[in-house]
Amino acid sequence: QVQLVESGGGLVQAGGSQRLSCAASGPILTISAMGWYRQAPGKMRELVASISGVDKIDYADSVKGRFTISRDNVKNLVYTMHLQMTNLNSEDTAIYYCNVKGTRTTVSDRIEDFDSWGQGTQVTVSA
């Protein structure tokens, strides 16, 4: 199974910065997209930022110019991406989830698609 482990998050004051990280490991063959989503109380989960293809990067309008998504070169079969968040405001308060899509091998040596989610990490921006 492909596993995603998130780190970062917590309480930050408005105007402050925070960095989230997500490490993906397991029987990964290829990665087609990596992204960050968030879900605020009472709202739908929304895409915050994503990297797909050959470094095609997209951002939600609400975070453009403030958030930066990046990914490291694979190391020890672990794929890591980050979300650097600056100039945070109360509207950014949410649970942030990382998502990775791609292909993986199975125990029977088949190749299949996967679409995995991290456990979520809370980001709370105080006034």
Side-chain angles (χ1 to χ4, degrees):
Q1 294 291 339
V2 175
Q3 294 184 323
L4 305 187
V5 178
E6 300 175 14
S7 58
L11 180 64
V12 61
Q13 287 189 331
S17 300
Q18 206 160 62
R19 179 179 164 98
L20 305 181
S21 297
C22 174
S25 61
I28 298 171
L29 276 181
T30 63
I31 290 181
S32 57
M34 306 178 80
W36 290 94
Y37 291 72
R38 67 186 181 186
Q39 187 165 17
K43 294 187 178 181
M44 301 281 289
R45 188 174 297 189
E46 63 174 356
L47 176 66
V48 176
S50 67
I51 300 177
S52 60
V54 184
D55 290 338
K56 177 180 182 297
I57 294 177
D58 292 297
Y59 294 100
D61 288 341
S62 59
V63 307
K64 283 180 181 176
R66 300 188 299 121
F67 289 13
T68 302
I69 188 172
S70 63
R71 61 184 174 187
D72 298 339
N73 292 327
V74 60
K75 183 175 181 181
N76 297 327
L77 301 180
V78 177
Y79 299 78
T80 305
M81 71 168 170
H82 310 281
L83 185 69
Q84 180 66 48
M85 305 182 290
T86 63
N87 195 20
L88 287 160
N89 60 62
S90 60
E91 297 291 312
D92 298 316
T93 294
I95 299 174
Y96 285 71
Y97 299 90
C98 64
N99 173 260
V100 178
K101 299 179 177 64
T103 60
R104 67 180 183 96
T105 56
T106 69
V107 293
S108 54
D109 290 333
R110 289 182 296 112
I111 297 173
E112 62 183 29
D113 296 335
F114 74 88
D115 184 346
S116 295
W117 292 87
Q119 77 279 11
T121 185
Q122 177 71 47
V123 173
T124 302
V125 183
S126 63

